[in-house]
Amino acid sequence: MSFRAGYLIHADEARDQLDWNPEWSRRARGFACYAAIRSLGRQGLQDLVERCCAHAERLVTGTGALPGAEILSGPRLNQGLVRFRAADGAHDDRTDAVIARIQGEGTTWFGGTTWNGVRAMRVSVLNWRTTERDVERATAAVRAALSHH
């Protein structure tokens, strides 16, 4: 089974391990969702979605307001796109370099994607355990990555 998206990182080798991961091919993937709905109930599920959306909005607007950053899309629901401008006009290269620095630092993980022909950092909040403090730490990690030229 194979799955491709602009924000997924794939290996250059002949056998990409992502395609052989049981997570992508196992049955009953909907069971975890069913269990969450049964456990949380309607209001709990609504609170979880609203919290993820609020965190994403803060994260997209917070990182997009940093010097040299630009919001390309969003925040919409639980995600948005931000890119980073370069003085020499090589915005795609700078965006990829900033993403690599963020990933290398290890506080948070944002993936890159191509949207309307330009490189962007994909901001997405999916985890029910994400807190306001996590959003602050992630924004600080982006700020730190931007300060390294």
Side-chain angles (χ1 to χ4, degrees), residues 12 16 25 31 44 46-47 57-59 64 76 87 94-95 100 103 105 113 122 124 127 131:
D12 292 332
D16 187 341
S25 61
F31 182 76
Q46 179 179 336
D47 292 345
E57 181 169 346
R58 278 196 61 219
L59 199 47
R76 307 254 193 293
R94 179 146 195 248
T95 297
Q103 291 175 352
E105 189 272 335
T113 191
R122 184 174 176 265
S124 184
N127 195 303
T131 66

Side-chain angles (χ1 to χ4, degrees), residues 61-79:
T61 57
T63 57
L66 294 171
E70 173 187 11
I71 297 173
L72 295 178
S73 177
R76 307 254 193 293
L77 292 177
N78 68 330
Q79 52 189 295

Side-chain angles (χ1 to χ4, degrees), residues 16-17 55 86:
D16 187 341
Q17 292 303 312
H55 290 326

Side-chain angles (χ1 to χ4, degrees), residues 91-143:
H91 310 310
D92 289 352
D93 292 340
R94 179 146 195 248
T95 297
D96 287 338
V98 171
I99 292 168
R101 282 194 294 273
I102 294 166
Q103 291 175 352
E105 189 272 335
T107 296
T108 190
W109 194 94
F110 295 111
T113 191
T114 301
W115 185 73
N116 287 340
V118 299
R119 293 295 292 159
M121 180 177 78
R122 184 174 176 265
V123 177
S124 184
V125 179
L126 302 169
N127 195 303
W128 64 274
R129 293 188 283 183
T130 302
T131 66
E132 292 289 326
R133 176 72 181 121
D134 295 327
V135 172
E136 292 167 7
R137 290 178 62 222
T139 303
V142 174
R143 183 180 299 109

Side-chain angles (χ1 to χ4, degrees), residues 30 32-53 126-128:
C33 185
Y34 169 78
I37 291 168
R38 290 283 296 173
S39 172
L40 295 171
R42 182 180 298 244
Q43 187 60 51
L45 190 59
Q46 179 179 336
D47 292 345
L48 177 129
V49 170
E50 288 175 354
R51 190 171 55 253
C52 285
C53 292
L126 302 169
N127 195 303
W128 64 274

